[in-house]
Amino acid sequence: MNWLILIIAGLFEVAFAFCLSKAKETTGTDMYLWYGGFLICSAISFLLLIKAVQTLPLGTAYAVWTGIGAVGTVLLGIFFFKDPANFWRIFFIVTLIGSIIGLKYVSH
């Protein structure tokens, strides 16, 4: 169950990065709404991370949390913000995903 909580925390990390990027693109009320979404997603992400590390090793949980955030943010950039998707970028994303999965399997 705590792995599921950790995965959800990582997804909220992706969401707060998305909100931050959208806030940068907008002005006025929309910008403040995106910043509000950033704050809410950040708080949820951190609270879920705190819950997950109560039973998971801190180093593993933090690495998985940041890994999910990194992979998700890069994929959001590719699909929504027209970031480049060249061979090496995809190669290292796949490597990072493999590392996250590996950390889960070697954790007790």
Side-chain angles (χ1 to χ4, degrees):
M1 181 62 163
N2 286 312
W3 282 102
L4 180 60
I5 291 171
L6 185 60
I7 291 168
I8 294 169
L11 295 175
F12 272 100
E13 185 182 2
V14 174
F16 80 63
F18 180 78
C19 289
L20 194 59
S21 184
K22 291 298 282 184
K24 185 177 73 172
E25 295 178 350
T26 58
T27 59
T29 305
D30 287 344
M31 178 185 68
Y32 292 114
L33 290 173
W34 283 113
Y35 280 131
F38 164 78
L39 292 173
I40 291 167
C41 290
S42 298
I44 292 170
S45 181
F46 282 111
L47 290 171
L48 291 174
L49 177 63
I50 290 167
K51 176 70 175 156
V53 298
Q54 290 175 349
T55 58
L56 298 173
L58 176 63
T60 302
Y62 184 74
V64 170
W65 179 71
T66 57
I68 292 169
V71 169
T73 303
V74 169
L75 292 176
L76 274 177
I78 290 169
F79 292 118
F80 291 102
F81 299 109
K82 308 284 190 262
D83 288 352
N86 59 38
F87 171 79
W88 288 111
R89 199 163 185 180
I90 301 301
F91 172 78
F92 287 117
I93 291 170
V94 170
T95 303
L96 185 55
I97 292 169
S99 297
I100 292 168
I101 293 168
L103 280 172
K104 186 207 181 300
Y105 283 111
V106 300
S107 297
H108 294 81

